[in-house]
Amino acid sequence: MTRVLSGIQPTGRAHLGNYLGAIQNWVRLQHEHECFFFIADLHALTTIYENTQNIADDSFNLAVDLLAAGLDPEKCMLFLQSHVPEHAELHLIFSMFTPLGWLERVPSYKDKMVELQGTDLHTYGFLGYPLLQAADILLYKADRVPVGKDQLPHLELTREIGRRFNHLYKNIFPEPEALLTQAPFVPGTDGRKMSKSYHNTLPLSDSLEKNHQ
């Protein structure tokens, strides 16, 4: 059975953009594949490392949102990233042999630097975000990864890292394929792309009356 893996960061309640772009697809995939979905609390640290007090509550609330949206623990594996220490361990191993140039060329690196102005992102944690993502995917030997076209460079980096590990040490990791998703452009309350970074989201947990305000 084809194995699928994907994750979502707990940087606030799940919103309409998350649902239309990823979560509704997860709900469908859980009936068609062996699915591993995780709450990426370690990834959240890459941008909010100075304000970590809400990560535990945000992770719990996100789990509630995912279950309410239709994820079924009988049909998929839903878990917290930091509860599986092998994510961090494999990330460390990968960091020993991954050239810096591979990380610096990921298009979203510079895009996020612009999007998140006001946050000091000159850290290895932020630069190495795609490397931790590669560890997430390869750890479970995923066959397919649901991604939009903008995430294809991340997945190609994952494939390169897997090939390099297999060449240097032992042929362990398969090369995951993209499961392209048709993620729509979902405008936020200010007309820009709905994003927690822009504070323009419509949380799934909000009441209809609150969203009309």
Side-chain angles (χ1 to χ4, degrees):
M1 194 173 185
T2 302
R3 179 172 293 181
V4 170
L5 179 130
S6 193
I8 183 171
Q9 284 195 45
T11 52
R13 300 302 296 254
H15 57 74
L16 185 61
N18 296 141
Y19 180 77
L20 295 177
I23 298 172
Q24 68 173 354
N25 191 42
W26 291 8
V27 173
R28 177 183 60 83
L29 290 171
Q30 69 181 341
H31 299 288
E32 301 172 357
H33 305 279
E34 180 187 20
C35 290
F36 289 77
F37 300 128
F38 66 95
I39 295 172
D41 54 339
L42 295 179
H43 280 295
L45 290 170
T46 61
T47 56
I48 60 172
Y49 58 85
E50 293 182 303
N51 301 290
T52 63
Q53 63 271 17
N54 294 325
I55 291 180
D57 286 342
D58 284 345
S59 296
F60 176 83
N61 290 328
L62 179 56
V64 171
D65 289 341
L66 293 173
L67 293 171
L71 286 188
D72 182 353
E74 297 292 330
K75 300 292 185 182
C76 67
M77 180 67 70
L78 178 62
F79 62 98
L80 192 64
Q81 183 187 27
S82 64
H83 283 191
V84 184
E86 287 82 359
H87 285 260
E89 292 170 5
L90 189 57
H91 171 227
L92 175 64
I93 292 170
F94 287 166
S95 71
M96 299 302 176
F97 64 74
T98 300
L100 282 176
W102 288 14
L103 300 174
E104 292 169 340
R105 77 183 187 211
V106 175
S108 60
Y109 175 66
K110 292 182 179 179
D111 294 342
K112 282 284 187 179
M113 292 284 281
V114 174
E115 180 181 331
L116 298 177
Q117 288 183 3
T119 302
D120 183 6
L121 298 178
H122 295 90
T123 63
Y124 167 73
F126 182 69
L127 177 65
Y129 176 97
L131 198 57
L132 178 56
Q133 194 174 57
D136 297 332
I137 296 167
L138 294 174
L139 179 62
Y140 295 90
K141 299 184 179 180
D143 301 300
R144 298 286 187 273
V145 182
V147 292
K149 289 184 178 179
D150 61 326
Q151 288 290 308
L152 286 176
H154 283 261
L155 186 58
E156 183 54 35
L157 176 61
T158 295
R159 291 161 57 86
E160 286 183 302
I161 291 167
R163 284 195 293 266
R164 186 167 174 83
F165 182 98
N166 291 344
H167 173 72
L168 290 172
Y169 308 114
K170 187 177 181 181
N171 192 0
I172 293 177
F173 298 117
E175 294 189 21
E177 300 289 341
L179 191 61
L180 283 175
T181 59
Q182 297 299 319
F185 173 80
V186 182
T189 55
D190 59 0
R192 293 183 293 176
K193 179 182 178 181
M194 189 174 292
S195 169
K196 295 163 191 170
S197 302
Y198 295 147
H199 307 289
N200 64 355
T201 63
L202 295 173
L204 298 180
S205 56
D206 277 0
S207 65
L208 183 62
E209 291 77 13
K210 185 172 182 179
N211 281 328
H212 279 168
Q213 291 176 359

